[in-house]
Amino acid sequence: MIRSLYYKFILGYVIFGLLGFLVIGTFASEITYDYLVREKAELLYDEANQLAYDCSAVYNGASSPLETVSHQLSILSPSLQSEIWVADRNGTVTIDSENGSRQGLSVSFDPTALGNKNYGIGNFYGTFPYDVLSVSAPITGNYTIYGYVLIHMPLTQIQASRDGILNIVYLTFGIIFILSLVILIIFTLTVYFPLKKITAGANEYASGNLAYRIQLASHDEMGYLAETLNYMSDKLNQLEEYQKTFIANVSHDFRSPLTSIKGFLEAILDGTIPPEMHDKYLNRVITETERLNKLTQGMLTLNSLDSKGLLFRTNFDINRVIKDTAASFEVVCRQKNLTFELTFADNIQMVYGETGKIQQVLYNLTDNAIKFSPNGSTIYIQAYPKHEKIFISVKDMGIGIPKDSIKKIWERFYKTDLSRGKDKKGTGLGLSIVKEIIQAHGENIDVISTEGVGTEFIFSLPRPVNL
């Protein structure tokens, strides 16, 4: 059974309330009770000492007779909510605050039984049917103990005071507990409801509905998470669309040469093509096979770049790579009467990168330049420093790229209409590979093109580093 985070939070909130009341009802109750007992004991003890002093003066004949103390006790007793006795040395009550109802009562009173405390709790030697807080003070004079002043407060008075204080504490805690519902409401609005929307969105994405949008307008972490998931779904949706397009393009580009190969071979086998023309059509089969191989190699290259494989970078001379690349097109250039014009700012220009990948960039750009250059024209390749970079330019005097196609030339399998009419052997992957390689090096590549004038590709490479 799935336990909702929201219900866990509510359960924790309820447990917090119950534990709060339990702690107040036990620990707080005991602490308050002990505090009140000590406070009342000190108060009663001070009063008992004052009365003992007054009684001491009476016994010494310094004031009115002892019976006059009875009136004082009857006045003080209600304010203290206690019984007050005056007993002789033998523990016999001589005066009390209860209109003499306790007079003559003899108690086995032992003042030393309290030890170092100035109060005791109990029924005072069986005198009371309930527990009382009792304090005593000796009546002394001329180094003689005449008797004792005893004050007894029922514990129910202290318990009532404790309960009154606890009621205030309970009420305060209850108000705080109710006010803390604001936290629960805030949690519900800012965490629980947004989390439900995010969970619903995640379930939609898991079921394949990548077009689903999580509608969350908050600007906190929940809003950021929702926007992140929306962004992720957009990217996954784009990836899905790209995969569909990729498969469609691959199917199209593979189908054409495979159909040609199949047709040529079937025509040779059934005799449609006479033996004297076999060589011609077998060469066409080889050409289509090479096209398939080139397409496969291009896809493998893109796949290796997509997997974020590490580049094996070293310092190398870009001038030498440009010269070697130009030399590899010597036969093709002779057929079209094309010439290269190589311009270098210095004899040796060192850069930092993966030699093989940069050579592939130059090969693809040069191959494009040759493909779209008219016979007898010149292809210009330059390498020159600027700031902390080395810039390489490949420029042709060819047919150029239409304005509406410049942004699309980097897309995989994209071919302009002019490209399709000019050359049927292209795979549409060359420039995609170029851009992926340059971006893998952390650099940029730009294109400048005018229809009927020519096209120039410019990319940068970092200067060499100390290895």
Side-chain angles (χ1 to χ4, degrees):
M1 180 179 178
I2 299 176
R3 299 288 184 182
S4 169
L5 178 64
Y6 184 64
Y7 293 117
K8 289 180 180 179
F9 191 83
I10 292 178
L11 179 62
Y13 178 78
V14 172
I15 291 175
F16 165 76
L18 293 176
L19 288 178
F21 278 105
L22 181 63
V23 168
I24 292 175
T26 54
F27 297 104
S29 177
E30 290 297 325
I31 293 172
T32 303
Y33 178 75
D34 292 341
Y35 170 77
L36 290 175
V37 166
R38 290 192 300 269
E39 184 183 45
K40 295 294 185 181
E42 291 177 3
L43 174 64
L44 297 180
Y45 185 71
D46 290 341
E47 293 293 340
N49 277 319
Q50 182 62 45
L51 289 173
Y53 175 79
D54 294 341
C55 291
S56 176
V58 171
Y59 277 107
N60 288 325
S63 62
S64 56
L66 187 61
E67 286 75 10
T68 60
V69 178
S70 178
H71 180 67
Q72 184 179 356
L73 298 185
S74 63
I75 295 175
L76 185 60
S77 176
S79 65
L80 296 178
Q81 297 179 325
S82 306
E83 284 191 31
I84 306 174
W85 303 347
V86 176
D88 59 21
R89 288 183 300 178
N90 298 320
T92 302
V93 178
T94 58
I95 304 173
D96 66 83
S97 61
E98 304 300 312
N99 298 320
S101 62
R102 301 287 187 180
Q103 191 170 358
L105 177 66
S106 180
V107 181
S108 301
F109 171 62
D110 182 8
T112 63
L114 298 177
N116 59 354
K117 293 195 304 181
N118 58 7
Y119 69 91
I121 295 177
N123 58 11
F124 199 71
Y125 304 99
T127 305
F128 296 95
Y130 48 83
D131 289 339
V132 295
L133 171 66
S134 301
V135 298
S136 65
I139 302 172
T140 60
N142 298 323
Y143 305 102
T144 303
I145 296 177
Y146 298 111
Y148 299 92
V149 174
L150 302 170
I151 302 179
H152 309 285
M153 175 181 284
L155 288 182
T156 54
Q157 299 293 335
I158 299 176
Q159 291 168 353
S161 298
R162 177 199 62 187
D163 293 341
I165 295 173
L166 288 180
N167 287 338
I168 296 174
V169 174
Y170 283 134
L171 180 61
T172 303
F173 182 81
I175 293 173
I176 294 174
F177 185 72
I178 293 173
L179 290 177
S180 64
L181 283 172
V182 174
I183 299 176
L184 185 61
I185 294 172
I186 293 175
F187 173 81
T188 302
L189 296 177
T190 62
V191 178
Y192 179 65
F193 287 160
L195 198 58
K196 284 192 69 176
K197 291 183 179 180
I198 291 172
T199 303
N203 289 331
E204 289 292 332
Y205 300 150
S207 63
N209 183 13
L210 297 176
Y212 183 85
R213 302 290 296 176
I214 301 175
Q215 302 297 331
L216 199 59
S218 61
H219 300 286
D220 52 14
E221 287 81 357
M222 286 296 177
Y224 177 76
L225 177 59
E227 287 300 318
T228 302
L229 290 175
N230 286 334
Y231 177 78
M232 178 198 71
S233 67
D234 289 341
K235 289 299 180 182
L236 290 175
N237 198 22
Q238 291 174 8
L239 179 61
E240 186 177 13
E241 292 298 323
Y242 165 74
Q243 288 176 340
K244 292 178 181 178
T245 304
F246 179 83
I247 293 173
N249 288 331
V250 169
S251 300
H252 176 271
D253 282 18
F254 269 86
R255 187 185 299 114
S256 179
L258 287 174
T259 301
S260 298
I261 291 172
K262 181 174 181 293
F264 292 148
L265 293 177
E266 286 178 346
I268 291 173
L269 288 175
D270 63 18
T272 303
I273 298 176
E276 61 271 15
M277 298 186 68
H278 284 184
D279 289 345
K280 174 183 176 180
Y281 286 98
L282 286 174
N283 284 328
R284 290 187 180 180
V285 169
I286 292 174
T287 300
E288 294 296 333
T289 305
E290 290 175 348
R291 180 182 171 192
L292 284 174
N293 182 62
K294 187 177 180 181
L295 182 62
T296 303
Q297 290 299 325
M299 290 181 357
L300 290 174
T301 301
L302 285 173
N303 183 64
S304 67
L305 293 171
D306 286 341
S307 64
K308 305 297 181 184
L310 295 176
L311 295 174
F312 298 97
R313 304 189 193 194
T314 57
N315 295 330
F316 63 92
D317 181 13
I318 190 64
N319 294 357
R320 172 52 55 191
V321 175
I322 292 173
K323 292 174 183 178
D324 292 342
T325 303
S328 67
F329 288 97
E330 181 180 354
V331 175
V332 178
C333 289
R334 187 181 300 117
Q335 293 173 352
K336 297 186 65 174
N337 193 25
L338 298 174
T339 58
F340 284 109
E341 184 174 314
L342 308 182
T343 304
F344 305 123
D346 204 345
N347 291 332
I348 297 177
Q349 296 185 104
M350 301 298 291
V351 295
Y352 182 62
E354 184 172 333
T355 310
K357 291 288 193 294
I358 299 304
Q359 189 170 24
Q360 187 172 7
V361 168
L362 287 167
Y363 184 92
N364 288 357
L365 294 178
T366 305
D367 184 53
N368 263 17
I370 292 173
K371 188 185 303 181
F372 299 108
S373 292
N375 294 345
S377 62
T378 301
I379 296 173
Y380 302 89
I381 304 179
Q382 301 180 53
Y384 55 91
K386 187 176 181 181
H387 304 301
E388 299 300 320
K389 308 284 185 181
I390 299 294
F391 287 83
I392 298 92
S393 165
V394 179
K395 181 179 180 180
D396 63 61
M397 310 301 293
I399 60 178
I401 304 172
K403 288 184 178 180
D404 58 351
S405 298
I406 288 180
K407 293 184 178 180
K408 300 178 181 179
I409 60 173
W410 308 111
E411 297 177 6
R412 300 179 182 185
F413 297 103
Y414 179 78
K415 297 180 184 179
T416 65
D417 293 335
L418 293 175
S419 172
R420 294 184 185 277
K422 186 75 177 176
D423 188 353
K424 298 291 186 181
K425 299 179 181 180
T427 63
L429 295 175
L431 292 179
S432 296
I433 294 172
V434 166
K435 188 167 186 178
E436 293 284 350
I437 292 174
I438 296 301
Q439 288 183 338
H441 281 76
E443 300 296 329
N444 297 310
I445 182 168
D446 296 317
V447 58
I448 303 171
S449 183
T450 304
E451 285 189 80
V453 177
T455 302
E456 180 180 13
F457 289 91
I458 305 171
F459 66 92
S460 60
L461 289 172
R463 288 178 180 271
V465 298
N466 296 324
L467 300 177

